[in-house]
Every structure is written in structure tokens, then in C-alpha cells.
Amino acid sequence: MRMGDWDHRETRTVDQVMGAFFFVRRSVFDQLGGFDERFFMYFEEVDFSYRARNAGWRSVYLAGARAFHFGGGTSQQVKACRLFYSLRSRLLYGFKHFPRWQAWSVAAVTVVVEPVTRIAWHLSRGDIGGVCETRDAFRWLWGGLRRIARGDGRFVT
């Protein structure tokens, strides 16, 4: 997501850079043990950037660099899986880095409030396919919640 609260014509330190535009020194990657393999497609760069910052490194947005990311191109045909993995990674990240009460707060909003709002949005658009995809993704998420809370990333659809 492009953040509109600062001038993108300037190079600056940021919390993290989107994975599609992620470059990292090999020595830093090795020092931090690479990406956490529990994160599949989503949040791996957020987790890595957080660990790098804690180790004294920084993420930098390079204003002069140019790249394009289509977004969703590889997962367009499997929307329920894409949603599941995105939600799952969000929760894995929370349980890995937040105090337990905060992680459970994020989990509660994610598994209780979010499916209702997503389904309502799809229904308001007459998108029955979106309702079914949302239902499937959250069914998988609910089924794996205990393992996710333990930090076990082996659960797959």
C-alpha cells in the first residue's frame, strides 16, 4: 500500500518494504537466519524487517528505484487460499511478536469481526463467489487457530 503521509520523492528509513521490492544483504539474511518458513507468501518480509531492526539494521525506501508489482497475479484463481494464508500469517506474526493479550485481541477481531464484515461486503455487491471464498478461508483459519496460536506454521489447506 502506498502511504500518502510522506513525500515518496525522498529516500528515507521505513519500518519495512513490501516483499516484491525487497533487497537485503546476504550477510544480514544469513545473520538473521533468513525468512521464517512458517510465513507462506505473506508477512515474511514484515517479520524479517522487524527482526533486522531489532538486530540494529534498518529498512530504507529508495526514492530513485522503480519497480512494478501486479499484486495477486499468482493467486487470482485461488482467492480463498490467498485470504487464508494472509490471515494465517497475520496471526502467526501477532503470536510471534506481540504480548499474548495483544495477539489474542488481533485474533479475536480477525476470526469474529472480520468474517462478518467481509461477508456483508460481498453480499452488498451481490458477490456470492466472494461469500463462498470468505467462508472457506475462515473455516480453514478457525480449524487451525490452536496451532497458529502455538506458532505452528505447518497447517496448510
Side-chain angles (χ1 to χ4, degrees), residues 39-71:
F39 296 99
F40 177 72
M41 277 189 9
Y42 303 101
F43 278 80
E44 71 278 4
E45 78 279 20
V46 179
D47 171 68
F48 185 90
S49 297
Y50 182 76
R51 291 185 289 123
R53 185 175 62 220
N54 287 342
W57 296 96
R58 61 192 176 111
S59 295
V60 177
Y61 169 82
L62 298 174
R66 296 288 178 249
F68 175 76
H69 175 55
F70 180 70

